[in-house]
């Protein structure tokens, strides 16, 4: 099993770039089920989850081609089987995103209930209730669910709490439904907006994406389009926090600073100097970070996907901080691994109480979920000695070429087949 071997401490410095957003590429790929072939999608991130989605759609009959610039073309969009292969569905929770487009275009889908994952049970009740509201019938058979609909009819969908993929599935299910669908308490994430932009370019009639109320007027059918995926704001935030933690100077290119307001505010509070341009952010830090307390929240609040990274920065900050996780039930698995490196963190239910220490020491640590892995890498960059990060398939799910990007900033990080700490 591959491991990452990281020597610290180091100061990151230089320029790096972010890939296309994973959580935008995934719903956009799923939405091509609805469209004519021929769509050309630029800036597809080279990630395990993306290849899983392409494999899932290909196994159901679609055909894609990808060039060396990671531009993907939909060669064939017709599906031959409405049963999603369970091994591929189980490999990635985002498989749930095929539910809306499949029922819309083919009238049915059989899909395994996506397993919970490290960060919580990850139910899909909001998705299933929405499909029923639009006229689908739901039946369960063991751990798979069968959703059928002769036709989908627009309705008012009110989510009891914001759900990113729930909102995205609704956009895709309603795009060609009969009549008008109104989503209330819609998720406002930039990735939802990117999906709506893609669908509108293909002929959909969606307005209000990015606000909490979205209106979709169903159309006959969708054509195809050319689209560039938005930059990954979570990867950008991760790289900026890493630059601050290591007291370096890091410029992140090709990002969208407008998607990072809550993150930039916290970095400023931590004492970082920021130089923000139209499509880049430079972070400079010349001393230990000040502690920053936060509560994760739906967009435009502090993203839950950066909670672990902020805890890693607080772990070496000059003082106490309080970090509350309000989105997922169990998203502190990185804390026990950080404590193996000397971090002082106590958890009480949904809140982590962090006491910054002067320095961390290297250790062998395990990645537990996608974003936690990034936090462990960042901590290892600041720790004294050689750290080994195991189970790094988590990191490959969400960060394209992470060691290449960090090495280009001066990090001593390498992937090792079977590094043994003697
Ligand atoms: C999306 O997950 C992202 N994944 C997650 O990113 C991200 O952390 C999350 O949104 C929150 O921003 C993708 O976009 C592929 P939710 P999603 O539905 O849509 C509960 C990463 O690291 N809920 O917004 O699955 C749920 O348990 C991943 O890239 C229900 O109860 O999250 C959670 O507590 C991790 N029933 C809350 O709502 C449902 O039917 C918000 O979840 C759906 C969700």
């Amino acid at each position: 099993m591959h491991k990452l071997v990281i020597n610290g401490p180091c100061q990151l410095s230089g320029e790096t770039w972010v890939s296309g957003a994973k959580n935008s590429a995934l719903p956009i790929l799923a939405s091509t089920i609805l469209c004519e072939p021929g769509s050309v999608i630029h800036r597809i991130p080279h990630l395990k989850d993306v290849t899983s989605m392409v494999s899932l759609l290909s196994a159901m009959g679609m055909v894609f081609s990808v060039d060396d610039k990671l531009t993907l073309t939909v060669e064939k969009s017709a599906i031959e089987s409405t049963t999603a292969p369970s091994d591929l569905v189980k490999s990635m929770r985002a498989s749930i995103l095929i539910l809306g487009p499949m029922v819309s275009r083919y009238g049915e889908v059989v899909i395994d209930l996506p397993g919970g994952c490290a960060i919580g049970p990850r139910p899909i009740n909001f998705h299933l209730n929405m499909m029923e509201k639009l006229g689908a019938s739901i039946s369960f058979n063991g751990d798979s669910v069968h959703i059928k609909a002769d036709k989908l009819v627009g309705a008012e969908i009110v989510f009891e709490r914001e759900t990113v993929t729930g909102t995205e599935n609704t956009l895709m299910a309603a795009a060609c439904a009969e009549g008008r669908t109104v989503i209330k308490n819609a998720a406002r994430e930039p990735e939802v907006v990117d999906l709506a932009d893609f669908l509108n370019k293909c002929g959909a009639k969606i307005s209000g994406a990015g606000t909490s109320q979205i209106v979709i007027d169903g159309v006959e059918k969708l054509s195809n389009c050319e689209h560039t995926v938005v930059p990954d704001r979570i990867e950008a935030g991760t790289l900026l926090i890493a630059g601050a933690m290591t007291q370096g100077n890091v410029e992140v290119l090709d990002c969208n600073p407008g998607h990072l307001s809550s993150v930039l505010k916290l970095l400023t509070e931590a004492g970082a100097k920021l130089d923000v341009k139209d499509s880049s952010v430079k972070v400079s830090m010349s001393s230990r970070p000040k502690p920053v307390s936060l509560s994760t929240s739906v967009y435009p609040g502090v993203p839950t996907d950066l909670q672990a990274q902020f805890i890693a920065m607080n772990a070496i900050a000059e003082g106490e901080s309080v970090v509350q996780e309000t989105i997922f039930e169990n998203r502190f698995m990185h804390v026990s691994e950080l404590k193996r490196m000397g971090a002082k963190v106590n958890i009480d239910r949904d809140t982590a109480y962090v006491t910054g220490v002067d320095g961390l020491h290297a250790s062998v640590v395990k990645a537990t979920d996608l974003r936690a892995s990034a936090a462990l890498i960042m901590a290892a960059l600041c720790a004294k000695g050689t750290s080994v990060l195991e189970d790094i398939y988590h990191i490959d799910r969400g960060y394209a070429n992470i060691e290449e990007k960090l090495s280009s900033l001066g990090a001593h990080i390498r992937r090792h087949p079977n590094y043994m700490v003697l």
Side-chain angles (χ1 to χ4, degrees):
M1 184 68 85
H2 274 107
K3 302 173 178 178
L4 279 180
V5 180
I6 301 154
N7 293 323
C10 77
Q11 260 185 341
L12 297 181
S13 135
E15 288 179 353
T16 185
W17 75 100
V18 291
S19 306
K22 165 177 89 76
N23 291 348
S24 176
L26 293 172
I28 287 175
L29 283 168
S31 77
T32 59
I33 291 171
L34 285 168
C35 307
E36 291 306 303
S39 286
V40 176
I41 306 164
H42 301 286
R43 203 170 178 172
I44 290 280
H46 181 59
L47 293 171
K48 179 86 184 59
D49 272 11
V50 169
T51 43
S52 299
M53 180 63 84
V54 171
S55 309
L56 172 62
L57 297 173
S58 306
M60 295 173 77
M62 293 178 74
V63 177
F64 300 91
S65 60
V66 186
D67 71 13
D68 56 357
K69 293 191 191 61
L70 297 177
T71 290
L72 176 139
T73 303
V74 181
E75 304 293 352
K76 170 178 172 279
S77 63
I79 291 278
E80 280 147 21
S81 154
T82 56
T83 298
S86 62
D87 54 330
L88 290 166
V89 167
K90 286 194 182 312
S91 71
M92 180 187 57
R93 168 172 168 90
S95 314
I96 192 66
L97 285 163
I98 70 168
L99 190 145
M102 281 299 295
V103 178
S104 167
R105 182 148 185 199
Y106 297 96
E108 71 169 337
V109 69
V110 178
I111 184 167
D112 281 87
L113 292 167
C117 65
I119 60 181
R122 308 297 292 276
I124 59 167
N125 53 315
F126 298 162
H127 299 251
L128 299 179
N129 298 344
M130 173 272 293
M131 292 304 293
E132 281 183 317
K133 283 261 178 64
L134 294 181
S137 60
I138 314 271
S139 58
F140 293 91
N141 174 11
D143 65 0
S144 73
V145 59
H146 185 191
I147 299 136
K148 274 173 80 75
D150 297 336
K151 72 175 171 179
L152 293 175
V153 179
E156 181 175 88
I157 306 292
V158 183
F159 284 119
E160 61 187 81
R161 70 182 287 185
E162 291 88 347
T163 162
V164 174
T165 50
T167 302
E168 290 162 347
N169 247 330
T170 311
L171 294 184
M172 295 187 279
C176 298
E178 192 180 277
R180 171 166 284 195
T181 296
V182 178
I183 309 174
K184 295 199 168 163
N185 206 21
R188 291 168 280 165
E189 274 66 6
E191 296 76 27
V192 173
V193 177
D194 206 27
L195 172 64
D197 289 349
F198 177 84
L199 290 170
N200 281 338
K201 281 189 205 170
C202 292
K205 287 195 173 58
I206 299 169
S207 56
T211 72
S212 53
Q213 176 158 316
I214 304 178
V215 178
I216 307 107
D217 287 316
V219 295
E220 222 21 61
K221 68 193 216 37
L222 296 179
S223 60
N224 55 35
C225 76
E226 184 157 7
H227 185 79
T228 299
V229 174
V230 292
D232 194 315
R233 61 193 168 96
I234 303 302
E235 186 186 19
T238 302
L239 292 165
L240 289 168
I241 297 169
M245 277 175 76
T246 58
Q247 299 185 35
N249 289 283
V250 170
E251 183 160 24
V252 176
L253 306 173
D254 305 334
C255 65
N256 183 332
H259 293 162
L260 288 161
S261 315
S262 62
V263 177
L264 301 184
K265 186 165 165 291
L266 286 173
L267 286 172
T268 306
E269 223 179 279
K273 189 173 147 314
L274 298 177
D275 180 6
V276 182
K277 296 196 176 79
D278 285 353
S279 60
S280 69
V281 178
K282 181 173 183 181
V283 60
S284 310
M285 182 74 108
S286 50
S287 58
R288 261 175 78 183
K290 297 185 186 65
V292 289
S293 291
L294 63 99
S295 272
T296 61
S297 164
V298 296
Y299 193 84
V302 180
T304 173
D305 294 347
L306 286 173
Q307 174 256 104
Q309 296 89 321
F310 275 114
I311 284 194
M313 185 173 80
N314 280 330
I316 55 162
E318 253 179 329
E320 316 270 320
S321 54
V322 178
V323 174
Q324 185 190 20
E325 171 57 56
T326 69
I327 305 291
F328 288 111
E329 301 78 3
N330 178 31
R331 203 168 196 180
F332 285 131
M333 275 81 49
H334 44 286
V335 167
S336 52
E337 299 304 306
L338 289 171
K339 288 167 86 165
R340 291 162 64 88
M341 301 172 91
K344 285 200 173 62
V345 189
N346 289 315
I347 305 284
D348 177 11
R349 290 184 300 256
D350 65 351
T351 303
Y353 298 86
V354 188
T355 304
V357 294
D358 290 354
L360 298 173
H361 53 76
S363 178
V364 178
V365 288
K366 268 190 184 313
T368 48
D369 83 86
L370 167 53
R371 305 302 173 182
S373 333
L376 295 176
I377 292 178
M378 295 153 74
L381 292 174
C382 300
K384 224 189 246 65
T386 300
S387 297
V388 178
L389 178 59
E390 300 181 325
D391 295 351
I392 56 168
Y393 60 90
H394 290 289
I395 197 95
D396 294 336
R397 289 189 44 213
Y399 291 89
N401 330 90
I402 187 81
E403 62 264 36
E404 189 185 330
K405 290 178 181 173
L406 291 173
S407 305
S408 71
L409 293 171
H412 303 288
I413 177 171
R414 65 190 186 289
R415 191 172 288 252
H416 214 279
N418 255 319
Y419 187 91
M420 297 304 289
V421 181
L422 300 173

